[in-house]
Amino acid sequence: MSRGSLVRLLMLALLWGSGFLWIKLALRGFSPVQIVLVRLALGSLVLVPIALHRGLRFPADRKIWGHLFVAALVANAIPYTLFGVGERTVDSGVAGVINATTPLWTALFAFVAGTDRVATWSRGMGLALGFVGTVLIFTPWESASEIASWGGLAILAASASYGISYVYMGRFLTNRGIAPIMLSAAQLAAGTMLMVLALPLGGLTAPHWRLDAVISLLILGTLGTGVAYVLNYRLISDEGPTLASTTTYLLPVVAVVLGALAVAEPVTVPMVLGMLLVLGGVALTQRHTPTSITRKRDSVTIREGAP
């Protein structure tokens, strides 16, 4: 793994790893639809001026915009809303466990779509270890009813939608000669327009202007969405959708550490073992093997072993 990609991976894990907590707090004052609309709008307000200041221009190709709206639907509008719906009844920790299935969904969809059919024992073992480690961290058997609830199913569906988005963006939006920051800004702008159309579906209720909910929403929008999407697009462009999605495995590690430092949550032996398994799983998925040096995507040869 290159140093630049490693730094981006860790920063993205920090920003998204705290997102489950910010969503939970934001729900104290806003509906899921309102949260997603404000989140995407704030992300756009962060990225668009930066992109324009750098002399970049929005894509002129209608096909690219069509792909951007599809990406915004499956990567933003649908999963963000489903997470808000799910966390009304599911703890943020359990949401993190279910979200850890994203790389598994990504690998499945990439294989079906034919964009990534490299199968090695190290990749399979890494994905398995990462999921087992996440389970150990949050011990979901103590919250089985939450996972089996409608909220749990909503979060599972959100994770599957993320898996689709990684493959879709990797195939139709990255490596097209468009700067990652402009792709990010345009996608968030498209997502904002989609959520404006969705306002009648639960977004017209009066919000409760609680300070903790407002602050959480501001952090979620500016940092967890605006800044994070630049990092996300860059990782997908450099490393491919399946490897970029392994960021998900670091999210529960971040959640446990932040919980221990910020609100004195207990750190148990299963949590520590889970962290080690997660980090080991991520390392295995990045392992360079002779059979996975290069692969084709959109007529561009990319290197598989350099996240």
Side-chain angles (χ1 to χ4, degrees):
M1 178 180 291
S2 67
R3 291 182 180 179
S5 290
L6 177 60
V7 170
R8 283 186 282 273
L9 182 73
L10 295 177
M11 289 179 62
L12 190 60
L14 178 62
L15 292 173
W16 278 346
S18 60
F20 304 110
L21 175 62
W22 303 131
I23 292 173
K24 195 76 172 181
L25 294 176
L27 284 169
R28 295 178 177 180
F30 305 95
S31 72
V33 173
Q34 291 168 345
I35 291 173
V36 178
L37 173 59
V38 175
R39 178 180 183 178
L40 294 178
L42 288 175
S44 299
L45 290 176
V46 170
L47 295 187
V48 170
I50 295 175
L52 295 179
H53 179 71
R54 293 183 179 182
L56 302 175
R57 294 292 180 265
F58 283 104
D61 192 337
R62 292 183 180 180
K63 290 184 179 180
I64 293 295
W65 274 106
H67 291 312
L68 283 167
F69 272 97
V70 174
L73 182 67
V74 296
N76 304 119
I78 291 176
Y80 287 3
T81 302
L82 288 175
F83 266 102
V85 171
E87 288 199 48
R88 280 178 162 176
T89 57
V90 172
D91 289 342
S92 59
V94 174
V97 172
I98 302 174
N99 186 63
T101 63
T102 296
L104 306 179
W105 290 110
T106 304
L108 174 63
F109 292 132
F111 185 84
V112 171
T115 60
D116 189 352
R117 290 189 172 176
V118 175
T120 64
W121 73 268
S122 60
R123 174 173 289 186
M125 184 62 70
L127 292 173
L129 280 179
F131 182 75
V132 171
T134 304
V135 171
L136 279 176
I137 288 174
F138 289 105
T139 56
W141 48 85
E142 296 179 2
S143 306
S145 61
E146 292 184 2
I147 293 180
S149 67
W150 286 109
L153 292 175
I155 294 173
L156 183 63
S159 301
S161 187
Y162 278 146
I164 294 173
S165 72
Y166 274 106
V167 177
Y168 191 89
M169 289 187 290
R171 182 168 184 175
F172 295 109
L173 289 174
T174 60
N175 295 317
R176 293 301 181 93
I178 304 174
I181 191 171
M182 177 51 74
L183 280 175
S184 303
Q187 181 179 320
L188 294 182
T192 302
M193 287 184 268
L194 290 176
M195 292 311 300
V196 169
L197 297 177
L199 273 178
L201 303 176
L204 299 179
T205 57
H208 300 286
W209 298 99
R210 294 174 50 116
L211 182 60
D212 55 353
V214 172
I215 292 177
S216 297
L217 191 51
L218 289 174
I219 294 174
L220 196 61
T222 56
L223 299 179
T225 306
V227 174
Y229 256 81
V230 176
L231 301 174
N232 184 51
Y233 256 113
R234 179 64 182 271
L235 278 174
I236 294 174
S237 179
D238 290 349
E239 316 305 340
T242 301
L243 294 182
S245 70
T246 56
T247 309
T248 304
Y249 284 148
L250 297 176
L251 306 191
V253 178
V254 173
V256 170
V257 173
L258 289 180
L261 295 178
V263 292
E265 292 180 350
V267 178
T268 65
V269 172
M271 287 182 180
V272 175
L273 292 176
M275 288 182 195
L276 295 176
L277 286 176
V278 166
L279 295 177
V282 171
L284 280 175
T285 59
Q286 312 295 334
R287 184 175 179 180
H288 180 86
T289 59
T291 58
S292 61
I293 296 176
T294 60
R295 61 183 168 87
K296 289 284 188 176
R297 185 183 64 197
D298 296 331
S299 301
V300 178
T301 302
I302 65 173
R303 294 185 177 180
E304 193 70 49

